[in-house]
Amino acid sequence: YIDNVTAMEVMDSRGNPTVKATVELSDGTVASAIVPSGASTGKREALELRDGGDRYMGKGVLTAVENVNTQIADAIIGLSPFNQAMIDAEMKALDGTENYSNLGANAVLGVSMAIARAAADSLGMPLYRYLGGANAMVMPVPMLNIINGGSHADNSVDFQEYMIMPVGFEDFAEALRASAEVYHNLKKILKDANHNTALGDEGGFAPDLSSNEEPIQVIMQAIEKAGYKAGEEIAIALDVASSELVVEGGYRLESENRTVTSEELVAYYEDLCSKYPIVSIEDGLSEDDWEGWKVLTEKLGDKVQLVGDDLFVTNANILAQGIEKDVGNAILIKPNQIGSVSETMLTVRLAQRNGYKCVMSHRSGESEDAFIADFAVALNCGEIKTGSTARGERTAKYNRLLEIENEIVYGEYLGAVLFS
Ligand code: PGA
Ligand code: ZN
């Protein structure tokens, strides 16, 4: 049974405080988990509880920590750690709101993840095996964010993420190696062109480029220079994070000095997809532009993976509306958008049953905790987005996946079939 539950304030990758929760079991097992934090958050995400005031510029999480140490601990000490759904439901009931605005989703998710990890450790099982059972076998294709823009960097680029997807490889390790080679070649190309090669929040470069198309062009050069076939071996994915671009009358593309309507933005994507091997576009339109999303899905949904992040916020109820209205064909999975391990699993099940692809995802503010690497394999997501091949909080996830691939004997890497 659960013997003790505690939390403390620790640091995330952006220098902001976050919650680390620790669970102790009666058999002596001790396990912890650290909660991530977003910058371009969706409006309908579960609430991240921050203290306000002057301390840490208002971003302290001592109230969330206190909620773990008192209310949550009181409610779940004595319960079995092997009934994840029951514990998560207990915390949800204790909170009493839809979006965890009492306890804080950061408090609840930290405990939820730590419970899962403690249960796995107690059984002597890897976390992916405990959460996914014998059927956990798919190694995810990574989406590596190698050029950062939008609210993840202080450069001129409007689109938030330019990613590569190593689709044409036999296994995860080879895919990661090829991706790292593209990353290094990209650095050289940017350096030779006198661009800044400092890194953004997710480990990608953040150069000032003169349009939203130019990053794609330099990535195409980097793929070629690394000796790979663009499209066949390395494909391209975008996260526009367009909810951040909304202004009166449309979407503002500052680097191109123009404001466009949803229709014009969709036409822009169609043009980019006809010129480059783009296989996935995330948040191509804003979280409130469901009409635009319908058009986007009609125009590009057959050819391109259209991922809802701010749009669906890992929420099964909102995803159900998307399925009903034929909006998008994939969902980004961020546990802290919804607040617990069990609710995340429910959303993934709903997506998979309805043919929506699932992309497990980090946040722009991360930690050394690699929970999502195990979680992606447990749920056979097939795809994971966790930054570039630089910055320790990003490589922690890739390194964990390398370990998992070594352990899974009958593992499957979906690259070649995913977008065929
Ligand atoms: P966030 O960005 O973690 O800052 O919300 C990630 C994303 O938009 O996918
Ligand atoms: Zn996103």
Side-chain angles (χ1 to χ4, degrees), residues 57-80:
M57 335 295 282
K59 288 181 183 272
V61 291
L62 293 180
T63 321
V65 163
E66 186 63 13
N67 290 346
V68 173
N69 290 335
T70 56
Q71 294 185 66
I72 294 178
D74 288 348
I76 68 171
I77 284 175
L79 299 181
S80 163

Side-chain angles (χ1 to χ4, degrees), residues 34-47:
I34 304 177
V35 177
S37 172
S40 62
T41 49
K43 276 198 284 210
R44 298 175 190 86
E45 291 192 20
L47 181 100

Side-chain angles (χ1 to χ4, degrees), residues 38-40 152 160-161 239 282 309 332 334 363-364 385:
S40 62
H152 290 173
Q160 183 178 277
E161 304 174 17
D239 180 4
E282 179 180 329
D309 169 16
L332 206 73
K334 291 168 164 170
R363 299 308 303 249
S364 51
K385 174 170 114 158

Side-chain angles (χ1 to χ4, degrees), residues 2 16 19 24-25 30 32 82 103 109 114 135 137 160 176 189 194 237 250 281 292 315 330-331 364 370 394 406 416:
I2 298 167
N16 293 323
V19 176
E24 292 173 48
L25 304 184
V30 180
S32 300
F82 302 113
L103 297 170
L109 180 67
N135 191 44
M137 61 179 73
Q160 183 178 277
L176 190 63
I189 288 167
N194 285 320
I281 301 176
N315 185 311
I331 177 172
S364 51
R394 314 296 150 184
N406 276 341

